[in-house]
């Protein structure tokens, strides 16, 4: 399910990009490498879910992957590569940043709470509420008229 979700979001983004830039390709490569690496931390977490190092490995991989995805989305908007609405892609990037932060938080909490991995099931909630929150923070920092 996880790989399908990543695959779906990746294809949705690539369908909305008309051309590539060097920066887009630079951040796209580690994103794809992390996606290819994802089965390893998934197997580790499956073998020892209560181990904080296993939880941190999985959460760190997910955070890095989702943050690369968010960066690629940001670049597609900033460089004018997207054929879709920049606001829509920026909203999706904000959701990705929120999920990345959620996984970073869960990785840190894994060393204190043995069941921190339960937070991973709430990642869609982090995207749904954290993404708009980050969008409002971004708009406030940009100031009026930006």
């Amino acid at each position: 399910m996880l790989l399908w979700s990543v695959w779906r979001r990746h294809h949705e983004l690539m369908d909305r990009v008309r051309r590539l830039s060097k920066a887009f390709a630079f951040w796209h490569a580690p994103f794809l490498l992390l996606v290819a690496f994802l089965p390893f931390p998934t197997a580790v977490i499956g073998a020892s879910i209560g181990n904080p190092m296993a939880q941190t490995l999985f959460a760190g991989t997910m955070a890095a992957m989702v943050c690369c995805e968010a960066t690629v989305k940001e670049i597609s908007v900033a460089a004018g590569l997207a054929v879709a609405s920049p606001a829509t892609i920026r909203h999706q990037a904000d959701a990705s940043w929120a999920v990345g932060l959620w996984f970073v938080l869960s990785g840190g909490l894994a060393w204190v709470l043995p069941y921190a991995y339960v937070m991973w099931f709430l990642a869609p909630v982090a995207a749904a509420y954290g993404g708009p929150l980050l969008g409002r923070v971004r708009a406030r920092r940009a100031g009026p008229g930006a």
Side-chain angles (χ1 to χ4, degrees):
M1 290 298 294
L2 183 60
L3 288 176
W4 172 81
S5 173
V6 172
W7 178 84
R8 183 183 53 79
R9 288 191 322 268
H10 178 259
H11 278 273
E12 284 178 2
L13 175 64
M14 295 309 289
D15 287 344
R16 294 177 176 166
V17 172
R18 70 174 144 233
R19 62 185 172 82
L20 301 180
S21 69
K22 288 182 182 180
F24 187 96
F26 179 83
W27 285 100
H28 194 248
F31 168 70
L32 292 177
L33 288 171
L34 288 162
V35 171
F37 179 70
L38 193 56
F40 175 71
T42 303
V44 171
I45 200 73
S48 55
I49 196 158
N51 184 324
M53 182 58 89
Q55 291 181 35
T56 303
L57 174 66
F58 182 83
T61 302
M62 285 297 297
M65 182 188 69
V66 175
C67 288
C68 283
E69 178 184 359
T71 302
V72 166
K73 290 174 183 176
E74 297 278 358
I75 290 168
S76 72
V77 171
L81 308 175
V83 294
S85 162
T88 300
I89 296 175
R90 187 162 281 133
H91 174 73
Q92 292 171 350
D94 289 339
S96 295
W97 287 121
V99 170
L101 291 171
W102 190 254
F103 275 101
V104 167
L105 177 64
S106 74
L109 288 176
W111 295 94
V112 181
L113 304 171
Y115 299 106
Y117 62 86
V118 173
M119 292 176 63
W120 302 339
F121 295 105
L122 298 175
V125 176
Y129 291 99
L133 177 65
L134 288 175
R136 285 194 297 272
V137 169
R138 179 195 306 251
R140 181 169 285 165
R141 292 189 73 159

